[in-house]
Amino acid sequence: MLDPYLALLFMALLAGAFALFSVTAAPYIGPRRYNRAKLDSYECGIEPSPKPVVGTGRMPVAYYLTAMLFILFDIELVFLYPYAVAADSLGLFGLVAVTVYIATIGFVYFYEWRRGGLEWD
Amino acid sequence: MNLLAQQDGMTHTQQLLADDPIWLVLLKVVVLFAVGVVLTLFMINWERKVVGRMQQRPGPNRTGPGGWLQSLADGLKLAFKEDIMPVLADKKVYFLAPVISTIPAFVAFSVIPFGGEVSIFGERTVLQLVDLPVGVLVVLACSSIGVYGIVLGGWASGNPYSLLGALRSAAQVISYEIALGLSVVGVILYAGSLSTADIVEAQSGGWYFYLLLPSFVIFVISMVGETNRAPFDLPEAESELVGGFHTEYTSLKFALFFLAEYVNMVTVSAMATTLFLGGGRIPFLGPVNGWIEFVVFIAKTLLFLFLFIWLRGTLPRFRYDQFMKLGWKVLVPVALIWTMIVFAIRVFRTTTGAESTAALVIAIVLGFAAVLTIAFMLPDRTEDAADVELASSYPVPPLDLAPPGRSRKRIARATPDPEPALTGKED
């Protein structure tokens, strides 16, 4: 008997092998005609904006509040799934518990909304 | 989850899949991969043809019979294009990003229940690669991991357009995934399982798309947002960001991003079929031959894929703040409240005895949902715009940007011209 997760691994390996092969083979299959301008970053024909040499430097992220709220909600979701599966056997107790749980996160969500954390400027 | 399976005993599907010999598993992996690629090629072509028809033009019709080989030709052509590594790119990440976005796309594809029991080379099995007890979670997880490829690719390109596209994509996927996940909760509650085959099985009494209509609507809207498709295709908004996150990508690397995007579309469509349209089942019929179920499943999936194309051909692209507003201020609260209501209804229907207590608790839960609804409908606090201090006396256009009153045409019509119109040529 095979572990069912092994099939997922096979799939990942096949997809990964295909993708890696494509990415590696691309420079060898295609032509190579050197042109300095071609290697600049594409900014609609104007001179590319200057950037640090290593990576692209740090950038301000405007939506960190959204990201934090996402983490909150994602954790809520992950705990709602087991409840949804077992809801029938948990009965009323489960319903009360999950209501308190959603209320907690709903309050935080509502607070962030009213404080303007969800506005996009 | 193994514990759970042992307690209840494995389902018939899981039993059949567990007995698969390794050659059959490998065969299924290869065939599934091929199905993903072929559906992608078909989908690109179909999309171009349908959008073409919607815009009063024939679409691709030269390559192969009826133009159906156009995307294959395009794919081959892409392989023979020059592979460019921009000077500013972060070499390793730029190289790996397409791989990172391709792998989860195909992995998510493998839990889809394409059809029922069949016999392949004398081996009884099910037209499904794996039936995990956490099947739905695999799809959600893979769709989140897929965005890493986009973000890393956009960041590593060293291009402002790519970076903006990538950041938008990240914000978009995390915003719509909440609504997507919440809409699935109702289905899991009714099916009592996270396994995709069980969910299809549970729908033999009635499809969930009408039993859980709000869930279905939220799922369909957020699946379009999740896959970065029009009208939510902000990460690659051509009019704003050139190509978005794949501006700097060429050749097969670009093709991989394209492949991942379309495979993701097929996956979410297949998930919508599984969760809400009863998988490969035909209404009023029990399980039929597995191959027939496969055909029905593909037909239903194509229905959703057509919806994708239809939306693209019809709707203009959202503005970014409108898009975020729709996600966080409409879909999430509605999904949250609906989830509460579904919980309450379900518990009310399954609880036996202690009717008065049950009714009381359920009333409280519904009341809480109502309070939530009212809370979310309160008007936003708006601050009065401060008076603008002008830096100079240079004439500026009106800053309040109020729409003009009546249009010039109407004003002209309301006040007839005092001078008579010129009727003829003067001598």
Side-chain angles (χ1 to χ4, degrees):
Chain A
M1 191 180 122
L2 236 58
D3 192 306
Y5 287 91
L6 213 56
L8 276 191
L9 185 68
F10 287 150
M11 195 70 195
L13 283 179
L14 179 64
F18 171 76
L20 267 180
F21 170 77
S22 307
V23 169
T24 329
Y28 300 103
I29 299 175
R32 255 189 276 191
R33 300 189 194 89
Y34 177 76
N35 184 341
R36 198 183 58 78
K38 203 190 277 177
L39 299 180
D40 277 345
S41 56
Y42 178 78
E43 287 178 26
C44 303
I46 55 169
E47 287 286 310
S49 43
K51 262 184 230 76
V53 183
V54 181
T56 44
R58 300 170 68 168
M59 68 298 230
V61 177
Y63 55 85
Y64 69 98
L65 275 178
T66 317
M68 277 156 62
L69 199 62
F70 163 72
I71 292 170
L72 198 74
F73 264 104
D74 222 28
I75 292 169
E76 180 187 7
L77 268 180
V78 166
F79 282 106
L80 277 184
Y81 283 169
Y83 170 69
V85 171
D88 289 356
S89 52
L90 289 174
L92 272 184
F93 170 74
L95 182 65
V96 173
V98 88
T99 308
V100 172
Y101 180 57
I102 292 182
T104 318
I105 294 191
F107 178 75
V108 175
Y109 175 56
F110 184 62
Y111 177 77
E112 180 167 346
W113 186 336
R114 295 296 287 174
R115 286 297 299 267
L118 298 178
E119 303 298 325
W120 187 275
D121 294 320
Chain B
M1 52 257 134
N2 275 332
L3 220 139
L4 207 81
Q6 276 161 12
Q7 274 175 0
D8 311 343
M10 279 169 138
T11 58
H12 185 55
T13 309
Q14 279 165 350
Q15 204 79 57
L16 275 174
L17 284 170
D19 290 341
D20 278 355
I22 188 138
W23 63 265
L24 189 56
V25 172
L26 291 177
L27 181 73
K28 277 186 187 172
V29 166
V30 173
V31 170
L32 201 61
F33 185 81
V35 166
V37 174
V38 168
L39 272 178
T40 301
L41 291 178
F42 166 76
M43 180 63 193
I44 295 172
N45 222 317
W46 195 36
E47 176 173 20
R48 289 181 60 183
K49 273 176 175 291
V50 172
V51 170
R53 288 290 166 192
M54 286 176 177
Q55 296 168 351
Q56 311 285 330
R57 58 189 172 83
N61 61 357
R62 297 284 151 156
T63 322
W68 282 106
L69 294 181
Q70 181 66 50
S71 48
L72 185 64
D74 286 344
L76 286 176
K77 184 195 73 178
L78 270 177
F80 294 103
K81 288 291 178 185
E82 184 171 358
D83 185 69
I84 293 173
M85 175 78 79
V87 184
L88 286 175
D90 186 308
K91 304 262 182 310
K92 283 174 207 146
V93 181
Y94 179 84
F95 187 81
L96 277 178
V99 183
I100 296 173
S101 72
T102 310
I103 294 176
F106 279 102
V107 171
F109 205 46
S110 57
V111 294
I112 306 293
F114 281 101
E117 207 174 321
V118 290
S119 154
I120 299 174
F121 299 127
E123 192 72 45
R124 299 299 297 173
T125 185
V126 183
L127 284 177
Q128 181 178 4
L129 180 57
V130 279
D131 180 34
L132 297 174
V134 290
V136 177
L137 273 181
V138 170
V139 175
L140 286 178
C142 286
S143 69
S144 317
I145 296 173
V147 82
Y148 272 98
I150 293 179
V151 171
L152 290 176
W155 173 81
S157 296
N159 183 322
Y161 294 122
S162 303
L163 186 64
L164 280 174
L167 291 180
R168 277 185 179 190
S169 171
Q172 178 167 339
V173 169
I174 66 175
S175 301
Y176 276 67
E177 186 158 318
I178 302 296
L180 193 81
L182 279 171
S183 64
V184 175
V185 170
V187 173
I188 295 167
L189 183 77
Y190 271 67
S193 169
L194 280 164
S195 135
T196 46
D198 286 357
I199 289 173
V200 170
E201 186 65 44
Q203 288 180 73
S204 47
W207 294 355
Y208 289 148
F209 88 93
Y210 65 88
L211 290 176
L212 297 165
L213 188 64
S215 291
F216 177 63
V217 172
I218 295 167
F219 186 91
V220 169
I221 295 175
S222 38
M223 85 182 185
V224 180
E226 183 85 2
T227 46
N228 301 336
R229 291 290 302 180
F232 304 143
D233 57 343
L234 295 143
E236 41 196 297
E238 300 89 2
S239 50
E240 302 162 21
L241 296 179
V242 190
F245 63 89
H246 55 60
T247 304
E248 294 290 349
Y249 277 93
T250 57
S251 158
L252 280 175
K253 293 195 181 93
F254 171 75
L256 283 181
F257 274 126
F258 224 74
L259 181 70
E261 182 185 331
Y262 277 83
V263 171
N264 276 331
M265 269 166 69
V266 174
T267 307
V268 290
S269 302
M271 269 324 270
T273 308
T274 308
L275 295 174
F276 295 101
L277 291 192
R281 296 292 167 83
I282 303 167
F284 311 115
L285 282 178
V288 286
N289 183 337
W291 293 109
I292 297 176
E293 284 193 7
F294 176 72
V295 174
V296 173
F297 189 93
I298 293 289
K300 288 179 186 171
T301 307
L302 288 181
L303 208 69
F304 282 104
L305 289 173
F306 180 77
L307 182 76
F308 273 109
I309 304 172
W310 192 4
L311 287 175
R312 188 188 152 184
T314 312
L315 296 176
R317 186 178 298 125
F318 268 59
R319 211 173 61 203
Y320 200 75
D321 58 328
Q322 292 172 333
F323 172 78
M324 294 303 273
K325 202 174 162 187
L326 174 70
W328 280 108
K329 296 190 175 176
V330 179
L331 290 182
V332 169
V334 168
L336 207 60
I337 291 161
W338 170 245
T339 307
M340 300 277 310
I341 295 172
V342 170
F343 279 157
I345 293 174
R346 178 71 181 183
V347 170
F348 180 69
R349 290 180 65 180
T350 51
T351 323
T352 47
E355 297 294 342
S356 54
T357 329
L360 184 70
V361 171
I362 284 149
I364 291 170
V365 172
L366 287 180
F368 175 66
V371 169
L372 263 184
T373 316
I374 294 164
F376 288 128
M377 279 170 45
L378 284 176
D380 281 350
R381 235 185 293 176
T382 50
E383 285 159 31
D384 295 330
D387 288 332
V388 181
E389 286 287 326
L390 295 180
S392 69
S393 58
Y394 193 80
V396 286
L399 287 169
D400 56 345
L401 290 181
R406 297 191 299 175
S407 70
R408 280 183 200 164
K409 236 183 210 167
R410 286 224 185 125
I411 294 170
R413 221 179 292 146
T415 52
D417 217 354
E419 287 174 44
L422 222 58
T423 46
K425 249 204 268 180
E426 283 181 52
D427 292 345

